[in-house]
């Protein structure tokens, strides 16, 4: 892999314009595979740097290999604002708009940043709530990008299943 002539650790401090320039310069000196891996490195750095909306956008792209859908940008930003203010947020949207997928991804992101916290997962029915909890658990347990962004957050032995999902910061 080619070592770029700039500091990858500074990515989380870049403005959008600086980041665009960084990507353009990076593309000029790397192969497609190197560029894809370098993009993942920069997204991991940004996702790990904080628990805010901008950090989540990087995490979302890592987990789903795509940017957040345009129609989800404002509700997702509102969700983070509500969380920051200690408020409840009700995410309303049309069937199939990926609201559950987005919220479950947000949940895994916040668990990664706050493994000592407590959360509750709900659904339209008990069965849906269980499915939603399993979705989050699968990201935490199995997704390689979750493990790279949050390498010290792991499922807690003997506390991973029907009675709840617990993580530890090892």
């Amino acid at each position: 892999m080619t070592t770029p002539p700039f500091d990858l650790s500074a990515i989380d401090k870049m403005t959008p314009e600086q980041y665009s320039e960084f990507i353009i310069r990076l593309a000029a000196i790397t192969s497609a595979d190197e560029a894809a891996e370098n993009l993942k490195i920069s997204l991991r750095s940004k996702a790990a740097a904080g628990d805010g909306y901008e950090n989540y956008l990087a995490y979302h792209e890592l987990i789903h290999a795509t940017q957040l859908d345009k129609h989800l940008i404002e509700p997702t930003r509102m969700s983070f604002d509500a969380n920051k203010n200690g408020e409840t947020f009700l995410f309303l949207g049309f069937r199939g708009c990926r609201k559950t997928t987005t919220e479950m991804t947000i949940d895994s992101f916040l668990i990664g940043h706050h493994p000592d916290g407590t959360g509750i997962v709900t659904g339209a029915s008990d069965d849906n709530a269980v499915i939603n909890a399993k979705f989050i658990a699968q990201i935490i347990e199995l997704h390689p990008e979750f493990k790279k962004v949050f390498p010290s957050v792991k499922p807690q032995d003997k506390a991973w299943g029907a009675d709840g999902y617990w993580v530890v910061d090892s």
Side-chain angles (χ1 to χ4, degrees):
M1 182 182 289
T2 304
T3 303
F6 24 73
D7 183 11
L8 288 177
S9 66
I11 291 172
D12 61 327
K13 297 173 184 73
M14 290 181 182
T15 66
E17 294 79 20
Q18 291 169 324
Y19 183 75
S20 293
E21 176 61 26
F22 165 78
I23 295 299
I24 290 168
R25 288 182 18 222
L26 188 61
I29 63 166
T30 59
S31 70
D33 289 341
E34 288 173 324
E37 185 56 30
N38 284 332
L39 176 59
K40 285 184 178 182
I41 290 168
S42 69
L43 290 170
R44 288 178 200 131
S45 175
K46 182 129 186 148
D51 64 357
Y53 169 74
E54 295 293 331
N55 309 96
Y56 170 74
L57 293 178
Y59 177 78
H60 180 96
E61 189 168 343
L62 285 166
I63 296 298
H64 297 291
T66 186
Q67 294 180 347
L68 186 66
D69 293 342
K70 289 184 194 283
H71 69 275
L72 294 169
I73 290 173
E74 189 56 29
T76 301
R77 185 188 317 275
M78 292 169 63
S79 176
F80 274 89
D81 289 345
N83 183 58
K84 185 169 70 175
N85 297 327
E87 300 169 351
T88 301
F89 177 75
L90 182 58
F91 199 147
L92 298 174
F94 59 89
R95 183 180 180 100
C97 76
R98 300 178 54 90
K99 60 190 173 293
T100 300
T101 300
T102 301
E103 283 300 321
M104 299 302 99
T105 308
I106 290 170
D107 290 345
S108 69
F109 173 74
L110 292 175
I111 289 168
H113 278 288
H114 306 284
D116 55 340
T118 301
I120 185 168
V121 176
T122 62
S125 67
D126 287 347
D127 289 343
N128 283 358
V130 169
I131 290 168
N132 292 346
K134 285 181 180 179
F135 183 105
I136 298 166
Q138 286 180 334
I139 292 173
I140 293 167
E141 186 175 14
L142 304 173
H143 203 293
E145 291 300 336
F146 181 91
K147 293 175 182 183
K148 289 177 181 173
V149 174
F150 306 109
S152 65
V153 178
K154 308 210 182 313
Q156 184 177 2
D157 291 338
K158 299 181 183 176
W160 200 252
D163 293 329
Y165 297 94
W166 297 82
V167 295
V168 292
D169 191 359
S170 57

